[in-house]
Amino acid sequence: MGEKYETIAKELYKWNQDHLLKFWDELTEDNRDSLLNCLEHSVDCASLDEAFRRAMATATSAKEDLNELLQPIAKELLLSVADASETELNDLRRIGLEQVREGKVGVILLAGGQGTRLGSTAPKGTFNVGLPSGKSLFQMQAERIRKLQQLAGGSGCIRWYIMTSEHTHTETLEYFRANRYFGLPEEQVRLFRQRSVPCVDFEGRILLDEKWKVATAPDGNGGIYRALKDEGILDELEREGVLYLHAHSVDNILIKVADPVFIGYCVRKQADCGVKVIEKVHPDEAVGVVCEVKGKYQVVEYSELSSETANRRNPADGKLTFNAGNICNHFFTAEFLRRIAETMMPLHVAKKKIPFVDTATGERCKPSTPNGIKMEKFIFDVFPLAERFVALEGRREEEFSALKNADSAGIDCPSSVRGDISRLHRQWLISAGATEVTEATVDGKVVIDCEISPLLSYAGEGLEPVAAGQSFRCPVHLIGAGEQQLT
């Protein structure tokens, strides 16, 4: 059957994975080539076996009870935007804009996910939540980069590194090409793939998605570190003189891309790793919290907090003691990323319902209960490796609104994020001197629908000429110079 087949078959047999060739005789030549290519280049049985054993050992070991060890973030390492003076914030903004102007800032966008829970198989970044402009998440973020470069002045550009997955890479690339990179030079935008790993059953045997195709899944947002190295991004950062990176997930519609205040704060504090958090106001809110444990910082999942710990409050102000909600919003120096690129990251086990081909019958099955695991890495698992860690607490209403679910869920959905951005932009207009921004009523429901293009304002600045003394009635859509109004 060929030397390559024999070599691969022996390796699979050695690791009890020979079932992957069970249907060889039924396959077309093209499918045989596809399967062998996958097994040769994407399946390392020895590494997978080691990873499976390590992941299962972690998942089944008795977890240390962290509740007696937790400490909130030290005050000297946390700045709350709500408590900072305008003078301090302006100084931090100046520092951040200076780094942008000098070309020292890059952005890493975590965009490997599909909009499955939104009812779409397309990359989540292409999703249109129904704003008056019809803009996608990708477009809004691209335009924020353009506006921030304009505010910074000079010739420096913000390098945009977009991490895709095998499921989203081609479609994301085609989407950017079709939209001419939303006004950014093509060479400023760099797409790179995170790695995928085979899905396995509870005994570590690799699952087949089709008779000729291994079931795989992205290795989690913590796969960013290995991908940056493997894809040559770390070397590119050094060549381009990029020193500071802002990393965030694609689904936060309010994200301040390359936020100059956040960048400026981390630079001023000489941090090698930083995190932006929002105040967790409800003890049962399903977000992890950033805490200190044994002198190191980490994210503690909400499920790991006891009821007593989650409800603990500070006597002085009544706020939750552990309230630094993690929102996947991070700062790294390029030097830090290079230092930890080879670090063996913890593996987390996610039990999932994974479609598979039953090797006994040859039928493809869609299980109704979890039948296997995906091994994932988390981006925040490097926090304990930081030598100089800091945190910035932003305002939730200005910083965070996640798109995760269909409207039927009622939260973190297109209608909720559309409402959040509309309320924020309405407040921008009022702060800039608008006399009123009147709501509309459609089918008996109050509709705000207020949108300000990122090309007109990055974070509410510069709106006085169009807002002062003016009255607006929703829907409102204010556009930037050279931008075409939708009709």
Side-chain angles (χ1 to χ4, degrees):
M1 293 187 183
E3 184 178 344
K4 180 189 287 189
Y5 174 91
E6 294 296 338
T7 300
I8 290 174
K10 287 180 181 178
E11 184 72 4
L12 293 177
Y13 180 79
K14 175 183 175 182
W15 293 99
N16 194 31
Q17 302 286 4
D18 47 308
H19 62 285
L20 298 177
L21 295 173
K22 172 77 177 291
F23 306 104
W24 182 261
D25 293 339
E26 303 176 23
L27 304 183
T28 65
E29 285 302 316
D30 284 347
N31 286 340
R32 287 179 176 182
D33 289 342
S34 177
L35 179 58
L36 286 185
N37 184 63
C38 172
L39 294 174
E40 181 181 23
H41 298 290
S42 302
V43 178
D44 182 339
C45 291
S47 296
L48 182 67
D49 184 73
E50 189 276 333
F52 172 75
R53 294 178 187 279
R54 185 159 55 94
M56 293 305 291
T58 300
T60 57
S61 62
K63 281 193 173 183
E64 181 179 30
D65 187 355
L66 298 175
N67 288 277
E68 296 301 318
L69 304 172
L70 298 184
Q71 296 292 329
I73 302 173
K75 290 183 178 180
E76 65 270 18
L77 300 180
L78 172 66
L79 175 67
S80 170
V81 169
D83 296 337
S85 68
E86 276 303 310
T87 299
E88 183 174 16
L89 293 177
N90 285 335
D91 187 50
L92 295 176
R93 188 177 294 109
R94 176 190 58 77
I95 295 171
L97 289 174
E98 182 179 342
Q99 310 312 310
V100 171
R101 185 164 54 251
E102 295 179 359
K104 296 178 179 179
V105 176
V107 170
I108 302 173
L109 177 61
L110 308 176
Q114 298 167 290
T116 308
R117 283 193 278 170
L118 295 164
S120 168
T121 59
K124 189 183 284 188
T126 66
F127 198 82
N128 169 11
V129 302
L131 288 167
S133 68
K135 291 176 181 178
S136 67
L137 297 173
F138 279 142
Q139 182 170 357
M140 285 187 280
Q141 291 169 28
E143 291 179 354
R144 286 173 189 150
I145 288 175
R146 289 172 57 189
K147 183 62 177 179
L148 189 58
Q149 290 175 165
Q150 182 187 74
L151 291 173
S155 58
C157 75
I158 298 169
R159 302 274 170 186
W160 200 15
Y161 301 96
I162 301 175
M163 187 172 79
T164 62
S165 66
E166 65 171 335
H167 304 292
T168 64
H169 185 85
T170 299
E171 194 170 348
T172 300
L173 182 59
E174 291 173 349
Y175 181 75
F176 271 86
R177 286 174 173 169
N179 288 281
R180 299 182 182 180
Y181 293 84
F182 301 107
L184 291 168
E186 181 178 346
E187 60 274 13
Q188 189 175 333
V189 183
R190 171 83 146 82
L191 272 63
F192 68 103
R193 289 184 182 89
Q194 69 182 114
R195 302 173 74 195
S196 290
V197 294
C199 302
V200 299
D201 64 18
F202 297 126
E203 281 72 50
R205 286 165 57 85
I206 299 171
L207 297 172
L208 281 171
D209 184 48
E210 302 285 357
K211 292 179 180 180
W212 62 89
K213 182 182 178 184
V214 170
T216 62
D219 58 355
N221 56 23
I224 178 179
Y225 306 110
R226 182 66 181 271
L228 288 171
K229 179 180 183 298
D230 290 350
E231 296 283 332
I233 304 297
L234 295 180
D235 293 334
E236 190 172 314
L237 295 176
E238 188 172 341
R239 288 196 305 271
E240 299 293 342
V242 177
L243 301 182
Y244 311 114
L245 285 304
H246 180 212
H248 64 87
S249 57
V250 71
D251 58 9
N252 179 6
I253 200 169
L254 297 184
I255 188 72
K256 292 182 178 178
V257 185
D259 177 15
V261 173
F262 185 32
I263 299 293
Y265 175 65
C266 293
V267 169
R268 190 180 72 178
K269 299 288 284 188
Q270 297 183 312
D272 57 356
C273 178
V275 61
K276 184 183 283 190
V277 298
I278 57 168
E279 182 184 355
K280 179 179 175 179
V281 292
H282 300 296
D284 57 351
E285 185 178 1
V287 295
V289 291
V290 183
C291 304
E292 182 183 343
V293 180
K294 297 180 180 179
K296 297 288 185 180
Y297 285 95
Q298 67 179 71
V299 173
V300 178
E301 297 294 346
Y302 64 93
S303 58
E304 297 179 86
L305 298 177
S306 68
S307 177
E308 180 185 356
T309 301
N311 282 276
R312 192 180 306 167
R313 293 184 181 273
N314 303 327
D317 57 17
K319 292 183 177 180
L320 294 172
T321 301
F322 300 103
N323 68 350
N326 179 52
I327 56 173
C328 195
N329 197 322
H330 310 294
F331 167 92
F332 305 109
T333 64
E335 181 183 359
F336 175 79
L337 292 175
R338 185 174 289 279
R339 176 165 65 84
I340 56 91
E342 298 289 352
T343 300
M344 185 175 289
M345 297 279 289
L347 289 168
H348 304 269
V349 169
K351 295 182 179 181
K352 299 286 186 178
K353 293 179 285 187
I354 305 169
F356 71 103
V357 174
D358 188 331
T359 53
T361 65
E363 297 294 321
R364 191 172 190 273
C365 307
K366 290 188 176 181
S368 57
T369 58
N371 63 307
I373 67 170
K374 297 179 180 180
M375 291 176 283
E376 302 175 323
K377 303 170 185 175
F378 295 159
I379 189 170
F380 52 71
D381 280 331
V382 299
F383 287 1
L385 303 177
E387 295 175 355
R388 298 176 303 280
F389 181 86
V390 298
L392 180 76
E393 182 186 276
R395 295 183 178 92
R396 182 188 294 256
E397 65 273 17
E398 297 178 356
E399 301 269 7
F400 183 64
S401 181
L403 177 66
K404 297 185 181 297
N405 308 310
D407 269 338
S408 57
I411 59 171
D412 298 339
C413 58
S415 60
S416 68
V417 302
R418 188 170 63 248
D420 287 341
I421 200 169
S422 293
R423 280 185 286 274
L424 176 62
H425 288 188
R426 182 189 190 197
Q427 185 57 51
W428 285 2
L429 290 175
I430 293 172
S431 297
T435 56
E436 63 176 350
V437 182
T438 308
E439 300 167 340
T441 302
V442 178
D443 296 330
K445 295 181 179 179
V446 175
V447 177
I448 300 176
D449 275 345
C450 181
E451 181 185 5
I452 297 171
S453 168
L455 296 175
L456 181 61
S457 181
Y458 173 85
E461 78 293 327
L463 292 175
E464 289 78 7
V466 296
Q470 300 297 313
S471 174
F472 297 89
R473 180 173 179 78
C474 292
V476 175
H477 180 209
L478 301 183
I479 63 176
E483 193 173 2
Q484 190 171 9
Q485 176 77 55
L486 289 183
T487 57

